[in-house]
Amino acid sequence: TMEEGVIASWLKKVGDEIKSGDILAEVETDKATMELESYDDGVLLHIGVKDGDSVPVDGVIAIIGEKGEDVNEILKDIENDTSSVDNSEEVNETPVEKEIEVKVETPAPAPAPEEKNISSDDERIKASPLAKKLADEKGIDLSNISGSGDGGRIIRKDIEEYKGIPAKTAEVQKEIKLPQIHSEESFEEIPVTQMRKTISKRLAESKFSAPHFYLTMEIDMDNCIEGRKKINESSEVKISFNDIILKACAVALRKHPMVNSSYLTDKIRINHHVHIGVAVAVDEGLLVPVIRFADNKSLSHISAEVKSLAKRAKDKQLQPSDWEGNTFTISNLGMFGISEFTAIINPNDSCILAVGGIKSTPVVKNGEIVPGNIMKLTLSCDHRLVDGATGAAFLQTLKELIEDPIKILV
């Protein structure tokens, strides 16, 4: 779904010898920061995109070739090749033999950003950028750590496994920060990240193309609270309320297939599988990793998978397969003290469920006012697919399942 990426930082410079497998740069996509790996040997002859600049998909960011090759001629050949493809009705598929073989590197998904060698005249400690960042956040002096990477380089694992006392701990505890008083107007401008651009584009399209309407229902959580307590007494993985809601949604979606459908302009796709996206807040914005075939998974399986995906999302380690293919989405802000809210539908779903927090409140049971625990659910519906009665029926089924959680196991 990307249209462009950002070169976060170059790890090599023009003139460097490049080996296959070397990491050339870090590339910021709309979901994560990935490493750009070289698949060939040679010399880095040209860098076409500066740190922090964006480049369209298939754009030329660098050229690797033999030492002494004429970069200007290579760029000219590339420009001519691109122009001939764009302007001709038929493209000759037979490769043209050239005296100079040109290798153009384009970004490819790779594991999460890890390490690069850094050293300077003043600092002889070898450490990856991520390791330096983590050490700075934790107040750890890198000179106290022995690196386990190549050539004694300090990597992320070394920081995470360090058992010493952070050098800055005492200083941080003693530091007292006074509030800043501004006597004049000021502001700060920061560049829009690829993730924020994608969120803005996709949700704006959803909000203004899909006619939203909203249904809110109160759920009596007394039985669910007791049921969760009993489940966790024997479960190896701690089950959260969100796990129970997710499983209940998966069961309810089987009974209400239109809520599990997609609008595809000239046709409606009713999905027979249940893939539930779970909105996860990260520093740069919002990611929605997907629990696939959630209706076929146990509560403990769902709980472990959600925890794993959430951690990888915050560590920027998700791959495209982790966030694609959702048929329904859940957004839970209850842990932040939000009692009720509405959410924008995640394309191409027909609905999204907004989950509020559990609130202790007086309720009427059997004609008497007694203490109770209430949670509010709000279903955002695409009116092109889901009518009010359909959405209400889904919420009614969901209410029955959550209020009597033993039913979700049947």
Side-chain angles (χ1 to χ4, degrees), residues 23 41 96 148 161 185 208 212 214 255 277 294 313 347 359:
I23 304 302
D41 298 341
V96 178
S148 61
E161 295 179 353
E185 293 183 356
F208 295 111
H212 286 52
Y214 310 95
K255 299 181 180 180
K359 184 179 180 181

Side-chain angles (χ1 to χ4, degrees), residues 236-404:
E236 295 182 0
V237 181
K238 185 177 181 181
I239 307 300
S240 69
F241 289 111
N242 196 66
D243 299 329
I244 295 174
I245 294 168
L246 193 154
K247 178 63 176 179
C249 284
V251 174
L253 287 170
R254 288 202 305 241
K255 299 181 180 180
H256 303 275
M258 285 307 297
V259 182
N260 196 45
S261 62
S262 303
Y263 187 84
L264 304 178
T265 307
D266 58 344
K267 57 189 174 183
I268 294 174
R269 174 179 295 170
I270 301 176
N271 299 297
H272 297 155
H273 55 278
V274 178
H275 293 350
I276 297 183
V278 182
V280 177
V282 295
D283 292 341
E284 295 83 0
L286 191 70
L287 292 176
V288 185
V290 178
I291 306 298
R292 301 179 184 279
F293 306 106
D295 53 327
N296 296 327
K297 294 178 177 177
S298 66
L299 276 173
S300 57
H301 188 144
I302 289 173
S303 179
E305 191 170 347
V306 168
K307 290 178 175 64
S308 174
L309 287 170
K311 184 180 185 302
R312 288 161 56 198
K314 293 179 180 179
D315 292 342
K316 295 185 177 181
Q317 294 180 348
L318 291 179
Q319 295 300 309
S321 59
D322 295 322
W323 66 68
E324 294 173 347
N326 51 282
T327 61
F328 184 84
T329 303
I330 297 174
S331 180
N332 190 340
L333 294 179
M335 66 286 294
F336 298 108
I338 303 299
S339 58
E340 180 181 0
F341 70 104
T342 59
I344 299 175
I345 298 170
N346 191 23
N348 290 303
D349 296 351
S350 62
C351 296
I352 183 172
L353 185 71
V355 182
I358 301 173
K359 184 179 180 181
S360 298
T361 184
V363 297
V364 177
K365 290 185 179 181
N366 300 321
E368 296 182 355
I369 299 177
V370 297
N373 295 281
I374 299 297
M375 178 181 69
K376 290 185 178 181
L377 302 178
T378 299
L379 187 70
S380 303
C381 306
D382 182 346
H383 218 324
R384 297 173 300 179
L385 293 162
V386 177
D387 296 324
T390 304
F394 170 79
L395 280 180
Q396 186 61 47
T397 300
L398 190 58
K399 177 182 174 71
E400 293 174 0
L401 293 170
I402 296 175
E403 290 186 345
D404 191 3

